[in-house]
Amino acid sequence: MNQRAHPHTTTMTSPPPHLAGRWRHDPLLVAATALGKVWFPFWRPFSPIAPTVDDDGVSQMRIVGREVVAEDENVVALTLAAPDDGMLPRWHAGAHLDLLLPSGRMREYSLCGDPADRHKYRIAIRRIPDGGGGSVEVHDSLGIGDIVSIKGPRNAFPIALPGFGSHATSLRFIAGGIGITPILPMLATAERHGLDWSMIYTGRSADSIPFRDELARYGERITIRTDDEHGLPTMADLLGPDDPETGRAPSGMAVYCCGPIPMLEGLRTHLADRADIELHYERFSPPPVLDGEEFTVTLASSGTQIPVAADESALAAIRRVVPSVPYSCQQGFCGTCKVRTVDGEVEHRDNILTEPERAAGTMLTCVSRSRGGNLTLDL
């Protein structure tokens, strides 16, 4: 399913020093911020940036393009524009938006168009018949002229360019199937800045790979490898030719990867001892449950008891009984599956809830679990 999941990186940076060495806050910036807060409400109605965003951060968009971008016809790209064709908020490679579907479902999709185009957003969705209904709804229900709601864009998978926030000397892009979507704008960014980059693009078969025609313009920089023709790729295939002197992946690379969990886990393990290689990645599917124990979820509204296996999420178990329960990222950072706990103690594994929210009994069913015993949820 083309759903966003939490990105990760092996690199960290320390906070920069204060601008003047002694001020904890730049006084001019403080003054400008205060002035902006006063002026913005009056200026906002006349802003050239569209569309209008409501108090919940939701804006309306019109579908102005719909294109099948894989030969097996299972991937469709939608192009969105403001209803008045006005200028859209700026975004950068790696960004995504939340698509609020007519059914009430919310799904997250990477922006895969050109960040320089301020009048259009593009997303691509692979049809997954048993993936919870979101992709099927997009494929079967949305067409040119329809109005949809979105939140964002926002970026949790940014690219750090060599010389501009990264110590790398070259970029290696790795995409698996629909994982090409956040990578596409990164390729354009790397090309625009004249950087040293290469890419491998893998998939089940040639027919299943989206955007092949669009990628042809990059020529030999991109290697396309399919499982049915070449077999599953090795780490050497994914990372490119080894350094002839060391026999290992070349030092100084920044690797950006989006694809299935086995690919990501393989890269993490393979590069675990390589402090000289940056690894940035995101995935479109839930991570495996680690150190889980069985427990039972009780739905307060009906008293229905649902067993949760040690290796599955509470969300997955609940969806067997209540398929319409809301969810999106399945990684604990979007908050769509937030629910109140009526009884029981929660083992929180999310990234967004505040301590007061946790103390009030809120949990995210996609990642959090019971801390011994069972849970009764306000569902």
Side-chain angles (χ1 to χ4, degrees):
M1 171 179 285
N2 187 19
Q3 289 182 215
R4 297 270 313 181
H6 195 52
H8 300 263
T9 174
T10 60
T11 60
M12 297 181 62
T13 57
S14 58
H18 299 307
L19 294 178
R22 64 181 185 276
W23 294 98
R24 297 191 65 83
H25 300 288
D26 188 300
L28 292 179
L29 289 178
V30 171
T33 300
L35 180 62
K37 290 180 178 178
V38 174
W39 174 248
F40 182 73
F42 299 98
W43 171 82
R44 181 176 177 177
F46 306 101
S47 170
I49 304 298
T52 301
V53 179
D54 68 16
D55 293 339
D56 294 324
V58 176
S59 55
Q60 303 298 307
M61 302 288 285
R62 178 167 50 92
I63 299 176
V64 297
R66 188 182 191 281
E67 180 186 7
V68 175
V69 292
E71 292 183 15
D72 65 5
E73 300 186 351
N74 282 331
V75 182
V76 63
L78 300 181
T79 301
L80 312 176
D84 63 356
D85 294 320
M87 189 177 294
L88 300 173
R90 188 181 303 277
W91 63 281
H92 299 281
H96 68 280
L97 55 77
D98 300 333
L99 180 64
L100 284 66
L101 297 169
S103 66
R105 299 181 178 97
M106 186 184 82
R107 297 293 184 266
E108 301 182 357
Y109 298 109
S110 297
L111 287 165
C112 57
D114 182 0
D117 186 346
R118 298 294 305 280
H119 290 85
K120 292 183 177 66
Y121 294 152
R122 185 177 68 167
I123 57 177
I125 302 93
R126 180 177 293 283
R127 184 187 184 101
I128 307 293
D130 59 350
S135 67
V136 174
E137 183 176 355
V138 171
H139 275 252
D140 293 351
S141 303
L142 297 184
I144 293 177
D146 288 344
I147 300 296
V148 295
S149 299
I150 68 166
K151 290 184 178 181
R154 61 181 183 272
N155 201 330
F157 187 37
I159 179 173
L161 301 180
F164 300 89
S166 170
H167 297 294
T169 56
S170 64
L171 299 171
R172 178 67 170 179
F173 298 106
I174 304 171
I178 197 64
I180 187 62
T181 50
I183 300 297
L184 271 175
M186 294 184 181
L187 302 183
T189 299
E191 189 75 359
R192 188 176 296 123
H193 286 82
L195 302 176
D196 179 12
W197 68 270
S198 62
M199 174 182 164
I200 183 167
Y201 188 9
T202 70
R204 296 187 307 275
S205 65
D207 289 348
S208 71
I209 291 183
F211 299 110
R212 288 183 64 196
D213 293 342
E214 186 171 321
L215 291 169
R217 65 191 177 103
Y218 294 117
E220 295 183 356
R221 283 182 179 269
I222 297 178
T223 299
I224 294 179
R225 179 189 177 101
T226 59
D227 299 345
D228 61 351
E229 184 177 352
H230 305 97
L232 295 175
T234 65
M235 290 301 106
D237 295 326
L238 296 178
L239 294 170
D242 289 336
D243 184 324
E245 294 184 5
T246 65
R248 307 177 74 195
S251 178
M253 284 197 306
V255 178
Y256 287 83
C257 179
C258 185
I261 289 177
M263 172 186 289
L264 302 180
E265 292 302 315
L267 285 168
R268 288 182 62 195
T269 301
H270 189 74
L271 297 176
D273 64 341
R274 297 295 302 272
D276 57 334
I277 295 179
E278 299 177 14
L279 175 59
H280 310 258
Y281 66 89
E282 78 173 353
R283 52 192 166 209
F284 288 152
S285 54
V289 177
L290 301 177
D291 303 322
E293 295 184 1
E294 296 180 358
F295 64 100
T296 298
V297 164
T298 300
L299 306 184
S301 62
S302 63
T304 302
Q305 294 187 327
I306 305 171
V308 181
D311 60 351
E312 73 174 339
S313 68
L315 173 64
I318 293 169
R319 287 184 58 215
R320 291 198 301 269
V321 178
V322 189
S324 61
V325 67
Y327 75 95
S328 185
C329 76
Q330 303 183 78
Q331 296 289 319
F333 75 93
C334 78
T336 306
C337 67
K338 184 187 300 184
V339 67
R340 186 173 67 89
T341 304
V342 178
D343 186 52
E345 185 178 0
V346 178
E347 178 191 342
H348 294 284
R349 298 187 177 190
D350 65 90
N351 299 304
I352 68 166
L353 292 181
T354 63
E355 288 306 317
E357 286 177 314
R358 294 181 176 185
T362 302
M363 75 172 287
L364 300 189
T365 58
C366 66
V367 290
S368 296
R369 308 181 67 77
S370 170
R371 189 182 296 278
N374 300 322
L375 296 176
T376 299
L377 303 180
D378 187 17
L379 288 172

